[in-house]
Amino acid sequence: MKNNELILILDFGGQYNQLIARRVRECNVYSEVVPYNISIEKIKEKAPKGIIFTGGPASVYGEDSPRCADGIFDLGIPILGICYGMQLMTHTLGGKVEKAETREYGQTDVNIDNTSSLFTDFNNTNKFLMSHTDFVQEVPAGFKNIGSTSHCPNAAMENVEKNLYGIQFHPEVNLSINGTQVIKNFLFNICKCSGDWQISSFVEESIKSLKEKIGDGKALCALSGGVDSSVAAVLLSKAIGKKLTCIFVDHGLLRKNEGDEVEKIFREQFDINLIRVNAKERFLNKLAGITDPEKKRKIIGEEFIRVFEEEAKKLGTVDFLVQGTIYPDVIESGLGKSSVIKSHHNVGGLPDYVDFKEIVEPLRDLFKDEVRKTGLELGIPENLVYRQPFPGPGLAIRIIGDITDDKLEILKDADSIFREEIANAGLHKSINQYFAVLTNLKSVGVMGDERTYDYTIALRAVETTDFMTGVWSKIPYDILEKVSSRIVNEVKHVNRVVYDITSKPPATIEWE
Ligand code: XMP
């Protein structure tokens, strides 16, 4: 991607690398994460205003420890080395890196020299996150010490003449108080960036580079109606128009009217080549009698791929398969070694089944809120852009036990009332996920003078930022009361409504 002003981030394997990229973008400077061993020619071609070396788990003394290209320090481009990046800079330029007896980890008081351009606007002592074992014992010739902690004699260094800077701490994380200011100082005081990049520039540049990349080729995109695939599809459609085909597999397990709404937006507002496959019956047949949540997920995942594949085959070979992968997906799939609580199905399995030449993932470097901003910039309606997360297997995992058409209708109606009342109360932006669950429980009630024996609906609402943990939302009683009375009055076969007051953990957000 061509940019007027670019910061290159050399990836040495640290866990916060994309966060560094994001912080730079928050300062309105475009940044790109590239492999640590990017060649000098490539760097020259990209002509960045500055380079950041990330941290990483290696030791500079390790046999295969990652090294940067020779000559990078002579390019005259400002470089900031963070953690391992600082140690590598030291080691390469003739300073001394040593192993410490103990690891220094956690928020630490760092004494700094605030006359350095890197630390403009800082006090002498600041709380930053340290996370390292090796440390710089002796800075290279020509460098000056500009920071230390009680355990680390050289927590920051600079060579003003060569525009080379190193910091042992991590300015990108929230645990480093005001850490972004260090990044800002590097960008504006040292690299002399102007900071005029905006999400609109990302959109413009992505469209341009997608046009160049795809040329006259054909592209295919699986559209789910979720934020990520929608933004990816619209971006592609702006770049290549009708050379893009989107396949929307409607498994019939979406929320009330959702399938039609998705279709309307993409056909009418964006004039996208859209194939909607109404496959409800197919999915319900496969799911008949299935009660195990993981089996449901597996069946839906496989059937989804099969339907998509059948439709894709009709189109013949396509050159590019578009995926709405965003950065958090990349971390989850790359580092996700934790045990499987639920096998979250997404369309990750598609590439094996479809005849295509290359995958295009235009949102791969973005975080969710950046994807949302991109969506708004592209003109996607706010209610879609700010849609709460919705699981791939849809309502199938919100009907406890086996799934039937009747149960689906009951759940859709109850859920729609709950969502409507949450929106009426203006709570839809503060509660991160809220929905109804059809429990498999029937209980006795009384309506009019009649005994009833009907279903119990559970309401679930959680507040969370990462969806890994969350607390149940304290929805005011009068709103719960209204939802409850509307559901039992308006939805047939429901005579009881309960509210789930469990946080995650120990419960999960979905019931299955
Ligand atoms: P849990 O229930 O694990 O949910 O606390 C965390 C988040 O993940 C969503 N979720 C899924 N998303 N396929 C998905 O695409 C799934 O099978 C699935 N199960 C849960 C859930 O809605 C919540 O946002």
Side-chain angles (χ1 to χ4, degrees):
M1 197 177 293
K2 264 261 163 294
N3 277 280
N4 299 332
E5 214 169 66
L6 169 71
I7 294 292
L8 268 192
I9 297 175
L10 266 56
D11 181 353
F12 287 94
Q15 53 181 322
Y16 306 126
N17 299 352
Q18 283 295 341
L19 200 51
I20 301 174
R22 185 213 162 96
R23 294 283 177 250
V24 173
R25 294 198 293 266
E26 279 173 357
C27 299
N28 298 106
V29 177
Y30 188 71
S31 67
E32 235 178 81
V33 179
V34 294
Y36 64 85
N37 53 2
I38 181 173
S39 68
I40 292 290
E41 293 69 41
K42 218 50 230 176
I43 295 176
K44 281 186 182 159
E45 195 184 298
K46 287 183 176 281
K49 294 278 279 187
I51 297 175
I52 297 178
F53 289 4
T54 74
S59 160
V60 290
Y61 293 114
E63 250 177 51
D64 299 318
S65 58
R67 300 289 150 104
C68 47
D70 285 341
I72 196 167
F73 298 109
D74 301 321
L75 288 173
I77 301 172
I79 300 179
L80 172 66
I82 297 176
C83 195
Y84 177 81
M86 172 186 186
Q87 294 162 12
L88 181 67
M89 184 183 281
T90 303
H91 185 67
T92 314
L93 297 176
K96 220 194 226 162
V97 176
E98 283 206 353
K99 271 214 170 334
E101 293 282 301
T102 50
R103 185 163 174 242
E104 186 179 32
Y105 181 81
Q107 204 181 43
T108 308
D109 281 335
V110 182
N111 299 311
I112 48 123
D113 173 354
N114 59 7
T115 60
S116 162
S117 325
L118 196 58
F119 297 133
T120 313
D121 293 334
F122 278 92
N123 294 326
N124 288 112
T125 306
N126 298 274
K127 292 204 179 302
F128 293 137
L129 178 77
M130 298 290 270
S131 171
H132 67 112
T133 310
D134 289 5
F135 67 99
V136 173
Q137 174 67 279
E138 209 178 290
V139 299
F143 277 75
K144 177 182 161 202
N145 171 302
I146 50 166
S148 60
T149 73
S150 53
H151 282 89
C152 179
N154 295 297
M157 62 181 194
E158 68 179 6
N159 180 334
V160 176
E161 207 179 300
K162 295 201 151 177
N163 264 330
L164 302 177
Y165 294 78
I167 46 181
Q168 184 56 66
F169 59 88
H170 288 272
E172 67 277 17
V173 297
N174 287 336
L175 275 177
S176 287
I177 307 302
N178 222 1
T180 306
Q181 186 62 42
V182 177
I183 294 175
K184 252 186 205 161
N185 289 344
F186 176 66
L187 299 176
F188 300 114
N189 296 348
I190 296 160
C191 303
K192 311 285 181 209
C193 290
S194 60
D196 56 6
W197 182 83
Q198 286 181 342
I199 208 82
S200 55
S201 332
F202 170 78
V203 168
E204 238 169 71
E205 284 146 13
S206 298
I207 290 174
K208 199 162 147 235
S209 76
L210 286 167
K211 253 185 200 153
E212 278 166 21
K213 183 180 178 127
I214 297 180
D216 281 330
K218 277 202 285 183
L220 176 63
C221 178
L223 196 63
S224 68
V227 185
D228 307 339
S229 67
S230 300
V231 173
V234 173
L235 196 56
L236 258 291
S237 120
K238 300 251 175 191
I240 60 165
K242 296 278 179 177
K243 282 174 278 177
L244 169 75
T245 304
C246 291
I247 297 180
F248 168 39
V249 177
D250 183 351
H251 50 24
L253 303 161
L254 296 171
R255 290 166 291 194
K256 195 171 180 177
N257 301 331
E258 202 166 26
D260 294 345
E261 283 164 15
V262 169
E263 180 172 356
K264 194 165 160 27
I265 292 172
F266 289 96
R267 266 200 222 294
E268 289 179 14
Q269 190 173 339
F270 294 109
D271 193 24
I272 284 180
N273 242 342
L274 177 74
I275 299 170
R276 175 176 175 182
V277 193
N278 290 316
K280 177 175 164 185
E281 241 170 73
R282 236 176 117 153
F283 278 84
L284 288 193
N285 283 340
K286 288 267 173 195
L287 287 166
I290 306 293
T291 56
D292 179 70
E294 284 302 286
K295 268 198 195 135
K296 289 181 184 176
R297 282 190 170 82
K298 200 156 178 275
I299 290 171
I300 294 167
E302 282 175 7
E303 199 58 15
F304 189 93
I305 289 169
R306 216 155 288 145
V307 176
F308 186 85
E309 179 193 23
E310 283 169 22
E311 289 304 318
K313 276 203 173 127
K314 293 182 194 161
L315 301 173
T317 304
V318 292
D319 306 281
F320 298 91
L321 183 73
V322 182
Q323 296 210 298
T325 321
I326 70 169
Y327 181 63
D329 304 332
V330 179
I331 326 180
E332 273 168 31
S333 51
L335 304 174
K337 291 200 181 77
S338 52
S339 65
V340 175
I341 310 289
K342 299 179 185 184
S343 57
H344 289 197
H345 122 84
N346 55 32
V347 291
L350 284 179
D352 294 345
Y353 295 80
V354 180
D355 199 6
F356 69 97
K357 292 185 196 140
E358 205 181 317
I359 295 187
V360 184
E361 295 175 311
L363 311 175
R364 205 183 155 80
D365 290 338
L366 302 190
F367 284 79
K368 194 81 177 186
D369 60 318
E370 295 178 308
V371 174
R372 290 207 163 101
K373 280 188 198 151
T374 306
L376 291 178
E377 183 65 33
L378 288 164
I380 300 175
E382 240 187 64
N383 60 354
L384 202 164
V385 166
Y386 285 102
R387 221 178 82 143
Q388 53 168 319
F390 186 66
L395 301 184
I397 55 166
R398 293 178 181 171
I399 294 175
I400 310 304
D402 71 319
I403 301 156
T404 63
D405 210 354
D406 292 344
K407 288 184 184 172
L408 253 179
E409 288 312 305
I410 294 173
L411 179 57
K412 280 185 190 176
D413 288 341
D415 182 70
S416 147
I417 291 171
F418 186 30
R419 285 189 294 128
E420 197 179 309
E421 291 304 330
I422 290 292
N424 286 345
L427 294 175
H428 55 294
K429 284 200 174 155
S430 56
I431 307 177
N432 305 95
Q433 204 171 1
Y434 49 97
F435 51 87
V437 173
L438 181 59
T439 71
N440 212 11
L441 178 83
K442 282 191 169 183
S443 69
V444 177
V446 54
M447 267 197 198
D449 291 328
E450 299 269 332
R451 174 190 191 271
T452 58
Y453 188 61
D454 271 326
Y455 285 114
T456 302
I457 282 281
L459 304 176
R460 180 71 165 144
V462 287
E463 285 164 32
T464 172
T465 46
D466 57 9
F467 297 89
M468 313 278 277
T469 59
V471 293
W472 62 277
S473 177
K474 316 293 178 290
I475 298 178
Y477 282 169
D478 54 335
I479 296 164
L480 288 172
E481 185 178 27
K482 187 155 188 208
V483 175
S484 161
S485 88
R486 275 196 63 193
I487 290 177
V488 287
N489 283 318
E490 294 173 37
V491 185
K492 273 203 187 112
H493 305 298
V494 177
N495 66 356
R496 195 178 289 271
V497 176
V498 297
Y499 188 46
D500 182 349
I501 52 166
T502 349
S503 290
K504 173 182 179 178
T508 52
I509 295 175
E510 304 287 349
W511 274 38
E512 284 200 333

